[in-house]
Amino acid sequence: MNLLRLSVVAAAAIAASLLLAAPANAQDAAPASAPAPAAADDPWNGQIFLTFDDGPGGAYTDDILEVLEANNAKATFFLLGQNAQRDPARVDAILDGGHTLGNHTWDHPDMTTLTRAQMDSQIGRTQNLLESHGAEVNCFRPPYGAHNTTVNQAITAAGLQRQLWNEDTRDWDRPGVDAIVNVLLGATPGDVVLMHDGGGDRSQTVEALEIALPQLAAKGYKFGITPKCSPTP
Ligand SMILES: [Zn+2]
């Protein structure tokens, strides 16, 4: 008797689950024009946003451009005006690679310590220089990520959007290639990853990219320009 009762309960449970399953199956059978589940779950279309600050940084910038090209990667370079002025050829090389420029001030002050006029000068002077290369520059990254209401107002007044980051490789501190690789391999679509091509010895950054980018690409990830920094279509 107990077995019979159990089987009745089981049959009812199966019937209930079939009823529940039916609408889901119907959705699965939706026309091919419906978006694929992966795309619906990932508004970033598989893209990780690599960003490089403080450049151009001499031969390290060349090396990074080479690794990016080898991995079909596009990135955003937040240049310092004073470095760009010293090295116009590398500014052009970054643009020729299909990458995008961001404004990172003229000489890397903590913006929160400046007067509004000084902020405007840091942003405007750099913007003019970058645009003289034919670049469309739509985003600004404050040095150290330091910002307050006045900094935000200065950014907006310049027609720019503030672009921070959410994954910090801490490569400026030269923590070792493995440490940088580990942060890179933890990136998922939508992440904005902070690295540096300028400001010091960036050989660890270059080596870490050589190791990590092919592994990320093998997961199906792509490397693109952040929405805030992207040129107008
Ligand atoms: Zn910086």
Side-chain angles (χ1 to χ4, degrees):
M1 289 299 274
N2 280 346
L3 273 177
L4 179 60
R5 282 187 60 187
L6 269 177
S7 65
V8 168
V9 170
I14 289 166
S17 70
L18 283 174
L19 281 171
L20 284 171
N25 286 339
Q27 277 185 352
D28 287 347
S33 60
D41 294 346
D42 172 20
W44 309 108
N45 195 26
Q47 291 184 101
I48 292 168
F49 304 113
L50 304 174
T51 66
F52 297 93
D53 287 10
D54 300 353
Y60 298 116
T61 301
D62 302 340
D63 293 344
I64 287 168
L65 289 174
E66 204 171 299
V67 185
L68 293 176
E69 186 176 10
N71 289 277
N72 198 25
K74 300 300 180 218
T76 309
F77 287 79
F78 288 90
L79 303 185
L80 293 174
Q82 66 174 9
N83 289 358
Q85 187 180 53
R86 277 197 292 258
D87 197 353
R90 283 197 174 87
V91 178
D92 291 336
I94 293 167
L95 291 168
D96 288 347
H99 308 289
T100 294
L101 304 185
N103 185 328
H104 194 44
T105 73
W106 188 264
D107 57 7
H108 215 268
D110 176 341
M111 292 282 281
T112 63
T113 68
L114 305 183
T115 65
R116 173 63 196 270
Q118 290 170 324
M119 294 176 190
D120 290 345
S121 170
Q122 285 282 337
I123 296 172
R125 201 176 163 199
T126 305
Q127 191 73 9
N128 288 340
L129 183 72
L130 299 183
E131 288 177 350
S132 75
H133 287 264
E136 181 181 335
V137 180
N138 293 325
C139 60
F140 173 85
R141 174 173 283 168
Y144 319 103
H147 59 95
N148 57 23
T149 305
T150 315
V151 173
N152 292 341
Q153 287 168 347
I155 296 169
T156 303
L160 301 173
Q161 293 204 71
R162 191 188 69 206
Q163 177 69 69
L164 299 176
W165 61 87
N166 70 311
E167 289 281 352
D168 186 355
T169 62
R170 299 185 63 80
D171 65 335
W172 56 271
D173 199 25
R174 282 178 271 171
V177 173
D178 289 350
I180 300 171
V181 168
N182 283 340
V183 175
L184 280 167
L185 292 183
T188 55
D191 282 343
V192 179
V193 184
L194 172 62
M195 285 170 284
H196 296 78
D197 63 318
D201 179 346
R202 302 302 177 220
S203 54
Q204 290 185 4
T205 305
V206 174
E207 203 177 328
L209 287 165
E210 286 170 344
I211 294 167
L213 292 195
Q215 294 186 41
L216 289 166
K219 291 191 203 175
Y221 296 160
K222 291 166 272 185
F223 310 98
I225 310 299
T226 80
K228 285 180 182 174
C229 298
S230 290
T232 320

